[in-house]
Amino acid sequence: MFWGLIIEPNKRYTQTVERSFHVSMASLDTNTGGSYTGVVQVMLHYENRTFLLCTLNKGAALQVPLDLNFQEGTEIAFSSNGSGLVHLTGYLVPEEDDLDDELEEEEEEEDIPQLIGKPSKRKATDSIKQSQNHLKRLKEEGEQQSSDEGDDDDELDEEDDGSDSDELQSALLDAEEEEDEDDDDDDDDDEGDEEEEEEEVVKPSSTTKKQKQQKQQQQQQQPAQKQQNKKQEKQKLLNGKDVKQDQKQQAKQQKKNKLEQQVQASKQEQKKRVIEGGVQIEDLTLGSGPPAKAGKFVSVYYVGRFKNGKKFDSCSQGDGFKFRLGKNEVIQGWDIGIVGMKTGGKRRITIPPALAYGAKGSPPAIPPNSVLVFEVDLRNVH
C-alpha cells in the first residue's frame, strides 16, 4: 500500500507511527513555480537528534533513492531546509496478520477432492433374493407333484424340467448383469433410482437338482463378492484420507517457506543503511582489524560500477589504492561511506551524483548525474 508525504519549506511534520512504513524515494518538485538557487536538505528528527537524509539540487540531483523503515510506535519528524517542495514516497509494510489471511485464502481456494460413496445395490440384490425364495417354493410343490404322478409322466417331467432350467438360468444371468451395471454406475444414480419399479423375473414352474446346485453356487459367490467390494471401498477411503493429509502438509510447508523468506529479506534490509547525504552502505563482510577513521591513511581494493552493473574502474592488485580519509582527496561519497569499516571488511557503497561527480560527470568514463556503486575491500589502516 502506497505511503507519501509532501514537505513544504521550513515546516516540521511530527507524527507517532501508527503503522510501519518504508521510505523509498525523495524527489524535488520543479512544477510549483519559483526558482531554486540552492540545495534543499531533507532532515529527520528522532530521539532529540537531527539527521540529514539527503540533499536535493535542481541542477544536480532531483531524486535520491532511500531505504528507511519506521516501526509502529516510533516518534519521528520530517523537515526541509531550502526553497522547494520535497515529496517523500514509499509503502506501508504488510503486517503478519495480513500475510496469514492471504495464506489461509490460498488454502481455501485449493480444490480438495471429495469422496463419494457408491450408490446402493439393494435393488439387484433384492431381485435375486426374491427369485431364490420363489424357486424354493416351486421346488417343494414339484416334489409333492412328483410323488403323486406315475412313471408314465417321467418323460414329460424331464422335458418340463429342461425348459424350466433354461428359463431359471436366464433369469439369474439377467439379475447378475443388473448388479454389474449398478457397480459401474458411480455418479449418475440418485435417490430416485431406489423408487423405480422392480424388474419382473421369469417364474419357473418347477425345480430340478441342477437348479438346486446353481442356487447353492450363487449363494456361495454372493458373500465373497460383497466382501471384495467392501474391501475395495475401504481402500479407496483410506487412499482419499492420505491424499487429504498430504495436501494439508504441503500447504503448511509452503506457508513456512514464505515466512522464512520474509525473515531473510528483513535481515537483508537491516544490513543496508542510509547515512549522511543519502549515501547507502551495505556491509558484505565484517572486518576484525583497526577501524577506518577520518585523518587516517587507508589502503583499499575496489570495483566501481554504474547502477546498470557496467564496470568503469577497479583496483585489486598490489598494495591497493592509498589515500587519506576525510581530507577531500577522493569523492565525498568515499569519505562518508568508508568511515567505520574495519580492516579485512568489505562494503558496498551507493553514492548519489551530488556526492560523486555531479552534473558534469568525469568524461569520458563517467556521464553526468551518475549514481555510482563501489565494492570496497579495506586492506590496511596506517
Side-chain angles (χ1 to χ4, degrees), residues 100-331:
D100 293 338
D101 292 341
E102 291 178 3
L103 292 174
E104 289 177 359
E105 289 177 0
E106 291 177 1
E107 292 178 3
E108 291 175 358
E109 291 175 358
E110 293 180 358
D111 294 331
I112 300 177
Q114 299 294 331
L115 298 176
I116 301 176
K118 286 189 175 181
S120 174
K121 307 169 188 174
R122 185 175 60 188
K123 185 176 70 174
T125 306
D126 291 344
S127 298
I128 295 174
K129 288 182 178 179
Q130 290 176 1
S131 177
Q132 292 172 353
N133 293 333
H134 187 71
L135 290 175
K136 186 176 181 180
R137 290 196 300 269
L138 292 176
K139 177 183 176 183
E140 294 175 355
E141 293 175 0
E143 290 176 353
Q144 292 176 359
Q145 291 176 2
S146 60
S147 63
D148 297 336
E149 293 177 354
D151 296 334
D152 295 338
D153 296 334
D154 290 342
E155 294 179 358
L156 293 174
D157 291 340
E158 290 177 0
E159 291 177 359
D160 293 339
D161 292 342
S163 61
D164 293 341
S165 176
D166 294 337
E167 292 177 356
L168 177 60
Q169 185 175 2
S170 175
L172 293 174
L173 290 174
D174 291 340
E176 289 178 357
E177 290 177 357
E178 289 174 3
E179 184 178 2
D180 292 338
E181 290 177 358
D182 289 339
D183 290 340
D184 294 334
D185 191 2
D186 293 332
D187 299 324
D188 298 331
D189 291 339
D190 54 19
E191 294 179 358
D193 293 336
E194 296 179 359
E195 298 176 357
E196 293 179 357
E197 296 181 357
E198 298 180 355
E199 297 182 1
E200 295 183 358
V201 180
V202 178
K203 299 180 180 180
S205 59
S206 62
T207 59
T208 62
K209 293 182 178 180
K210 184 177 181 181
Q211 292 172 352
K212 185 176 180 180
Q213 291 176 355
Q214 290 178 350
K215 177 182 176 181
Q216 292 176 351
Q217 291 177 356
Q218 291 290 338
Q219 292 176 347
Q220 292 175 356
Q221 291 176 357
Q222 285 177 1
Q225 183 67 26
K226 289 181 179 179
Q227 187 176 4
Q228 183 177 1
N229 291 338
K230 287 182 180 179
K231 288 183 178 180
Q232 291 177 353
E233 291 178 0
K234 185 176 181 181
Q235 185 64 31
K236 287 182 179 180
L237 289 174
L238 291 174
N239 292 338
K241 290 181 180 178
D242 292 342
V243 170
K244 190 173 182 180
Q245 290 176 356
D246 290 343
Q247 290 176 344
K248 287 183 178 179
Q249 290 177 356
Q250 290 176 1
K252 289 181 179 179
Q253 186 63 33
Q254 290 176 356
K255 182 177 179 180
K256 183 179 179 181
N257 292 340
K258 286 183 179 180
L259 292 175
E260 289 178 354
Q261 291 175 359
Q262 291 173 358
V263 171
Q264 292 295 333
S266 176
K267 290 181 179 180
Q268 187 66 24
E269 288 183 357
Q270 292 176 358
K271 292 182 179 180
K272 295 181 181 179
R273 292 177 291 155
V274 177
I275 56 177
E276 181 182 349
V279 176
Q280 179 177 298
I281 61 174
E282 179 183 359
D283 287 315
L284 304 178
T285 303
L286 296 177
S288 58
K293 298 180 180 180
K296 296 283 187 177
F297 283 97
V298 296
S299 298
V300 298
Y301 285 168
Y302 69 90
V303 176
R305 292 185 173 88
F306 297 112
K307 288 285 286 186
N308 59 8
K310 182 179 179 181
K311 184 171 71 173
F312 62 84
D313 192 12
S314 65
C315 177
S316 58
Q317 295 181 352
D319 295 333
F321 178 67
K322 183 178 179 181
F323 66 98
R324 192 173 185 182
L325 188 62
K327 298 299 180 181
N328 294 326
E329 295 182 3
V330 292
I331 59 177

Side-chain angles (χ1 to χ4, degrees), residues 3 21-26 64-68 88-91 280:
W3 177 92
F21 65 92
H22 176 273
V23 180
S24 306
M25 183 70 70
V64 172
L66 301 176
D67 189 4
L68 301 174
L88 294 181
T89 55
Y91 57 87
Q280 179 177 298

Side-chain angles (χ1 to χ4, degrees), residues 72-86:
E72 181 178 349
T74 306
E75 294 185 1
I76 57 173
F78 295 101
S79 64
S80 66
N81 300 328
S83 58
L85 295 179
V86 177

Side-chain angles (χ1 to χ4, degrees), residues 8-63:
E8 297 182 7
N10 302 317
K11 286 188 177 182
R12 181 168 177 153
Y13 298 82
T14 304
Q15 63 170 315
T16 299
V17 179
E18 296 181 356
R19 182 170 177 181
S20 302
F21 65 92
H22 176 273
V23 180
S24 306
M25 183 70 70
S27 306
L28 183 63
D29 189 352
T30 61
N31 296 325
T32 55
S35 59
Y36 306 116
T37 57
V39 298
V40 178
Q41 294 180 323
V42 181
M43 315 298 293
L44 171 65
H45 306 277
Y46 173 66
E47 292 184 350
N48 298 324
R49 299 185 64 183
T50 301
F51 302 90
L52 175 63
L53 296 184
C54 63
T55 302
L56 303 173
N57 190 308
K58 183 176 180 182
L62 293 177
Q63 290 184 328

